């Protein structure tokens, strides 16, 4: 029987496509011969299964190569983002140790295993087991003891700082309970004569230092020019250090506008910006006409004092010749703008309500905030004036004035509107300057403090509390304890911290810190986490200032957004509307069309002036690191081995990749 040639068609369908074979050389007889078995096709189903297995294995290998390539790309990008070599070495070493810990755990080589025993030399089953046991011994004998000693030292510092916070809070409660606050006897500014001249009003100089403050210059100058004080006894200096000619022109135009309205205001610009803000203020105080004035009030470019500011602060100097400074409190127009501004509001409310109010009431000394304060000019002159040696010229002049015996008053009831930074980058640079400058100042002022004639307890307060405890010890133990020791306990469980250090005391202190801002209680958890995270920046700044590194001399103007409160916007709109109506009356009379135009102008002002509310911004990198620190603190609560394993894997990889990258960027 002649076989059908459909067999060859089926064979061609089951093979790869290619050039078909023409004129086959085999014959029917040859196929039916003795070698016919060699030409018989393989069973159809069996051939397809083999091909499927082959393609499946190839696909798996392709996916595996893709995963390895992706992981290698991620690691290469991470290594390229980190600039410090020692951080790269630490990262690679930590990843190797982490992989080793995971493999050892899967093999059951862990102290948590009840069946685990330290084998003898004859019981070693492999090289990895031997290395792991050696690591356990090395960790227990050489790493754990110094780590435990360092943790105990940091815990002691933590308790001392907590006691200091509790004492300050108790002092604040005592002030509230006893209603202790500075008082003014009578009305020192009351005019007794019939003509009503302003002889009882002292000569006051108001200074507004600024540098490229395009967003806030107008509202600041406007607020200062509306201060209720006799015009012949008030002089306003706009101290412009801007290097942008367009901004200089805008500020000059604003000053000219108010000068034409009868305000005694002067525009000053330095060609060479040496000494930053201190050099700017020192240059302004060297003018000949300054000798005619008794007091000087300072407002930064984003501050908007109320019209009665001088009437609420200057009277404290009456019949108080030892008083050198009256400091007002800050109030923030953008405290609810995003998560970062809410957290800053918590910190600053505690600073003013507790620290400065208690120190002002019981010690008559605190650090000058650089703005929203009134100085006696003689105090500045006797203390040496503004010096350009640090980036915290406000704290510098306050310390030198205190060493000369001058007293300070903090007025918690007088508030001045201002802004807090709305971006993390601006906030980080501000915190770097605020924490590097005090350490730089401490090195410069320590000999003068020791040689000064003030009492021993005042010297102790300056050295131990004002500088060491609150400016050096606080960032040191916060960074070391919660950002180094606490995460390392997952690799060195022998140095595990007690639960009260990790949870109870920090939560209690956070509650105390948040008391001056009770509306911020819903943000207590982000506040606690973010403060621990910011200790990286603060510690870096503290080291930079203590050892006079290059970054301690940097002065970067904090970027502002030009926020205004709703009441200020309404008042400004009404004021502009009134001025528009008056001008239109002069030119063409008060017609109905004028009133319609003025109403339209008012509506446009209110519409354009109302700030658009933004959504809360979550700063992913910082909060991620903060939540990692939180998981490290929860480690002591995890008793199940499986939970501990997943914690180890997640905590180790994520903390090393994100945390070290953040530290590397901040240290670079």
């Amino acid at each position: 029987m002649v076989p059908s040639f459909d067999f060859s068609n089926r064979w061609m369908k089951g093979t790869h496509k290619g050039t078909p074979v023409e004129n086959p050389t085999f014959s029917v007889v040859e196929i039916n011969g003795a070698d016919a078995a060699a030409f018989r096709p393989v069973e159809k189903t069996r051939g397809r299964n083999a091909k499927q297995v082959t393609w499946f294995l190839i696909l798996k290998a392709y996916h595996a190569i893709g995963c390895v390539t992706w992981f290698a790309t991620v690691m290469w990008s991470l290594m390229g983002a980190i600039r410090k070599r020692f951080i790269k070495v630490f990262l690679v070493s930590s990843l190797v140790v982490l992989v080793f810990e995971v493999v050892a755990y899967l093999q059951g080589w862990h102290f948590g295993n009840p069946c685990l025993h330290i084998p003898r030399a004859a019981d070693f089953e492999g090289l990895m087991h031997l290395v792991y046991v050696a690591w356990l011994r090395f960790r227990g004998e050489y790493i754990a003891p110094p780590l435990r000693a360092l943790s105990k030292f940091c815990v002691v510092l933590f308790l001392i700082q907590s006691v200091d916070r509790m004492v300050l809070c108790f002092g604040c409660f005592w002030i509230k309970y006893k209603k202790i606050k500075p008082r003014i006897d009578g009305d020192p500014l009351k005019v007794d004569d019939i003509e009503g001249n302003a002889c009882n009003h002292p000569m006051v100089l108001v200074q507004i230092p600024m540098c490229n403050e395009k967003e806030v210059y107008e509202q600041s100058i406007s607020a200062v020019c509306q201060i209720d004080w006799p015009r012949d006894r008030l002089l306003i200096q706009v101290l412009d250090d801007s290097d942008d000619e367009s901004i200089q022109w805008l500020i000059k135009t604003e000053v000219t506008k108010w000068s034409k309205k009868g305000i005694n205001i002067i525009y000053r610009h330095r060609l060479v910006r040496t000494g930053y803000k201190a050099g700017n203020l020192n240059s302004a105080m060297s003018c000949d006409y300054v000798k005619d004035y008794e007091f000087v009030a300072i407002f930064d470019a984003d501050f908007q004092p109320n019209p009665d500011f001088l009437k609420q602060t200057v009277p404290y100097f009456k019949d108080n010749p030892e008083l050198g400074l009256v400091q007002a409190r800050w109030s923030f127009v953008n405290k609810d703008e995003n998560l970062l501004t809410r957290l800053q509001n918590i910190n600053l409310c505690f600073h003013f309500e507790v620290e400065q109010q208690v120190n002002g009431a019981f010690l008559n000394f605190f650090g000058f905030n650089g703005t929203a304060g009134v100085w006696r000019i003689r105090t500045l002159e006797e203390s040496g004036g503004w010096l350009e040696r640090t980036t915290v010229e406000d704290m510098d002049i306050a310390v030198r004035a205190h060493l000369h015996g001058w007293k300070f008053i903090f007025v918690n009831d007088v508030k001045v509107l201002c802004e807090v930074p709305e971006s993390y980058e601006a906030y980080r640079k501000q915190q770097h300057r605020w924490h590097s400058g005090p350490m730089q100042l401490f090195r410069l002022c320590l000999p003068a403090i020791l040689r000064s004639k003030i009492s021993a307890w005042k010297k102790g307060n300056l050295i131990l509390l004002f500088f060491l405890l609150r400016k050096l010890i606080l960032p040191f133990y916060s960074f070391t304890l919660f950002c180094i020791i606490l995460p390392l306990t997952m690799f060195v469980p022998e140095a595990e911290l007690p639960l009260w250090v990790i949870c109870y005391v920090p939560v209690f202190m956070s509650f105390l810190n948040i008391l001056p801002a009770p509306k911020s209680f819903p943000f207590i958890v982000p506040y606690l986490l973010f403060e621990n995270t910011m200790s990286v920046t603060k510690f870096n700044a503290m080291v930079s200032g203590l050892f006079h590194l290059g970054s301690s001399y940097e002065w970067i103007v904090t970027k502002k957004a030009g926020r205004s409160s709703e009441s200020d916007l309404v008042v400004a709109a009404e004021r502009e509307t009134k001025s528009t109506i008056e001008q239109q009356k002069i030119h063409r009379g008060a017609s109905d069309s004028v009133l319609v135009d003025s109403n339209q102008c008012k509506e446009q002002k209110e519409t354009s002036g109302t700030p658009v509310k933004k959504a809360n911004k979550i700063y992913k990198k910082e909060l991620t690191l903060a939540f990692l620190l939180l998981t490290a603190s929860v480690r002591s609560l995890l008793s199940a081995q499986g939970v501990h394993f997943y914690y180890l894997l997640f905590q180790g990889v994520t903390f090393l990749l994100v945390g070290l990258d953040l530290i590397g960027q901040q240290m670079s």
Side-chain angles (χ1 to χ4, degrees):
M1 180 178 177
V2 180
S4 174
F5 285 95
D6 292 339
F7 167 76
S8 62
N9 294 334
R10 290 196 301 269
W11 173 262
M12 294 304 296
K13 291 180 180 178
T15 57
H16 294 288
K17 294 182 178 180
T19 305
V21 179
E22 298 180 358
N23 301 325
T25 59
F26 58 85
S27 63
V28 176
V29 178
E30 291 173 344
I31 293 177
N32 291 332
D35 297 333
F39 294 94
R40 290 176 184 175
V42 182
E43 208 172 298
K44 188 175 182 180
T45 57
R46 185 175 300 174
R48 286 186 176 180
N49 288 337
K51 293 177 183 178
Q52 289 175 358
V53 172
T54 302
W55 282 106
F56 178 77
L57 294 177
I58 294 176
L59 184 61
K60 287 293 184 182
Y62 175 77
H63 285 306
I65 294 174
C67 293
V68 173
T69 306
W70 175 83
F71 182 76
T73 303
V74 172
M75 292 301 300
W76 184 262
S77 301
L78 179 65
M79 297 296 291
I82 300 175
R83 301 177 182 177
K84 299 293 183 179
R85 290 185 178 179
F86 73 92
I87 296 181
K88 293 183 179 180
V89 174
F90 182 70
L91 174 60
V92 175
S93 303
S94 301
L95 289 176
V96 173
V97 173
L98 179 62
V99 173
F100 190 75
E101 288 275 356
V102 173
V103 174
Y105 182 85
L106 294 176
Q107 296 294 330
W109 306 335
H110 199 275
F111 282 125
N113 189 353
C115 300
L116 179 68
H117 67 281
I118 304 299
R120 299 179 181 178
D123 298 330
F124 286 148
E125 297 179 355
L127 180 61
M128 183 172 289
H129 199 177
L130 175 63
V131 173
Y132 185 70
V133 172
W135 157 248
L136 292 179
R137 291 179 177 175
F138 178 79
R139 186 179 72 186
E141 295 178 4
Y142 298 100
I143 298 181
L147 193 60
R148 281 196 297 263
L150 181 61
S151 63
K152 291 180 180 178
F153 177 68
C154 291
V155 168
V156 172
L157 298 180
F158 176 45
L159 294 178
I160 294 175
Q161 197 270 339
S162 300
V163 171
D164 176 62
R165 287 292 179 97
M166 292 181 63
V167 171
L168 289 175
C169 291
F170 178 77
C172 183
F173 291 146
W174 185 258
I175 290 175
K176 297 294 184 182
Y177 176 71
K178 292 292 186 178
K179 297 181 180 180
I180 302 175
K181 64 178 182 179
R183 301 183 184 278
I184 301 175
D185 297 332
D187 187 2
L189 302 179
K190 184 178 180 181
V191 180
D192 298 329
D193 59 345
I194 301 177
E195 297 180 358
N197 56 31
C199 60
N200 288 344
H201 291 73
M203 301 286 288
V204 178
L205 176 68
V206 180
Q207 296 177 336
I208 312 176
M210 58 180 62
C211 178
N212 296 326
E213 307 283 0
K214 183 179 180 180
E215 297 81 9
V216 295
Y217 76 94
E218 186 176 1
Q219 61 190 27
S220 176
I221 295 176
S222 175
V224 172
C225 289
Q226 296 179 58
I227 290 180
D228 186 12
W229 200 258
R231 294 187 177 182
D232 59 338
R233 309 190 73 80
L234 179 69
L235 174 63
I236 301 173
Q237 286 182 321
V238 178
L239 311 178
D240 183 24
D241 263 2
S242 303
D243 53 8
D244 190 336
E245 294 183 359
S246 62
I247 299 178
Q248 296 177 20
W249 182 83
L250 291 174
I251 298 175
K252 287 180 182 179
T253 303
E254 184 69 16
V255 170
T256 303
K257 182 184 75 172
W258 287 100
S259 179
K260 292 180 178 179
K261 294 181 180 181
I263 303 298
N264 193 10
I265 185 172
I266 297 176
Y267 175 85
R268 283 180 52 86
H269 178 264
R270 296 190 303 162
L271 297 178
V272 181
R273 189 191 173 211
T274 58
Y276 303 111
K277 182 179 176 180
N280 197 3
L281 294 173
N282 192 33
S283 174
M285 295 298 295
S286 63
C287 297
D288 295 335
Y289 54 79
V290 173
K291 64 179 182 296
D292 298 330
Y293 293 84
E294 187 177 357
F295 304 103
V296 55
I298 302 174
F299 299 101
D300 283 350
D302 59 317
F303 279 71
Q304 308 168 47
N306 292 327
D308 59 348
F309 175 83
L310 292 181
K311 292 186 176 181
Q312 291 182 321
T313 55
V314 173
Y316 287 102
F317 292 96
K318 183 70 173 180
D319 300 328
N320 195 356
E322 297 181 351
L323 183 61
L325 168 67
V326 175
Q327 174 70 63
R329 181 175 175 173
W330 299 0
S331 180
F332 311 106
V333 298
N334 61 338
K335 62 182 179 181
D336 298 327
E337 185 65 22
N338 53 48
L339 178 61
L340 180 62
T341 58
R342 294 176 187 272
L343 301 181
Q344 292 180 74
N345 181 60
I346 296 174
N347 266 340
L348 292 172
C349 283
F350 183 86
H351 171 70
F352 291 114
E353 187 83 14
V354 179
E355 290 183 352
Q356 292 208 314
Q357 186 173 208
V358 172
N359 290 328
F362 297 104
L363 301 177
N364 295 120
F365 168 73
F366 48 83
F368 176 48
N369 297 321
T371 179
V374 182
W375 280 94
R376 192 189 298 269
I377 294 181
R378 188 161 62 91
T379 302
L380 299 177
E381 294 173 350
E382 291 184 0
S383 303
W386 301 101
L387 300 182
E388 305 172 6
R389 55 182 182 175
T390 67
T391 57
V392 285
E393 75 295 328
D394 46 5
M395 185 181 294
D396 188 0
I397 189 64
V399 171
R400 287 184 282 116
H402 181 60
L403 296 180
H404 283 78
W406 292 97
K407 296 181 179 181
F408 302 161
I409 285 180
F410 179 77
V411 186
N412 192 50
D413 298 333
V414 181
K415 300 179 181 180
V416 181
L417 293 176
C418 63
E419 289 186 25
V420 288
E422 297 183 7
S423 66
Y424 173 73
E425 187 64 22
Y427 176 66
R428 186 182 66 84
K429 293 177 180 178
Q430 182 195 69
Q431 292 299 306
H432 186 278
R433 176 166 54 88
W434 285 5
H435 286 82
S436 64
M439 286 296 95
Q440 192 179 13
L441 178 63
F442 176 66
R443 291 190 55 177
L444 298 174
C445 285
L446 183 58
I449 295 175
L450 297 176
R451 293 193 304 265
S452 64
K453 298 180 180 180
I454 60 177
S455 60
W457 72 271
K458 288 185 177 181
K459 293 181 180 179
N461 173 68
L462 268 178
I463 297 175
L464 299 179
L465 294 181
F466 186 76
F467 280 112
L468 292 182
L469 182 60
R470 297 166 188 168
K471 303 298 188 299
L472 187 146
I473 292 178
L474 176 58
F476 170 77
Y477 88 76
S478 181
F479 171 74
T480 306
L481 187 62
F482 295 106
C483 295
I484 294 183
I485 297 178
L486 184 58
L488 283 179
T489 55
M490 66 181 179
F491 296 114
V492 188
E494 296 87 351
E496 188 172 6
L497 295 172
L499 188 61
W500 61 270
V501 173
I502 302 173
C503 297
Y504 299 153
V505 176
V507 171
F508 176 72
M509 298 309 300
S510 298
F511 270 104
L512 291 181
N513 289 352
I514 213 168
L515 283 179
K519 293 183 179 180
S520 301
F521 267 103
F523 304 96
I524 186 171
V525 174
Y527 168 74
L528 178 62
L529 301 177
F530 195 73
E531 277 303 299
N532 285 339
T533 307
M534 283 304 300
S535 61
V536 178
T537 297
K538 296 177 182 179
F539 177 80
N540 182 25
M542 182 268 292
V543 173
S544 175
L546 187 62
F547 295 100
H548 283 205
L549 302 181
S551 59
S552 62
Y553 295 94
E554 295 179 356
W555 179 288
I556 300 176
V557 179
T558 305
K559 187 177 181 180
K560 287 102 176 171
R563 303 293 181 189
S564 298
S565 62
E566 295 182 0
S567 59
D568 293 336
L569 293 172
V570 173
V571 172
E574 293 178 353
R575 188 188 313 118
E576 293 294 333
T577 302
K578 290 180 180 179
S579 62
T580 304
I581 294 175
E582 291 177 357
Q583 292 177 1
Q584 291 175 344
K585 284 182 178 180
I586 294 174
H587 291 287
R588 56 180 181 177
S591 61
D592 294 338
S593 60
V594 174
L595 297 178
V596 173
D597 294 339
S598 64
N599 291 333
Q600 293 178 354
C601 179
K602 182 177 181 180
E603 292 176 358
Q604 292 176 358
K605 289 287 184 179
E606 293 178 354
T607 303
S608 61
T610 304
V612 179
K613 199 65 177 177
K614 295 182 179 180
N616 284 349
K617 301 175 183 177
I618 305 298
Y619 298 90
K620 297 180 180 180
K621 183 179 293 186
E622 292 71 36
L623 290 181
T624 300
L625 180 57
F627 277 105
L628 292 175
L629 299 177
L630 178 64
T631 59
S633 65
V634 179
R635 177 190 180 279
S636 58
L637 301 176
L638 305 177
S639 56
Q641 292 299 327
V643 176
H644 176 67
F645 169 72
Y646 289 115
Y647 159 78
L648 174 66
L649 185 62
F650 172 78
Q651 171 77 0
V653 175
T654 315
F655 175 76
L656 290 173
L657 296 182
V658 180
L660 289 177
D661 182 39
L662 176 62
I663 296 175
Q665 290 182 7
Q666 292 184 348
M667 295 182 65
S668 61

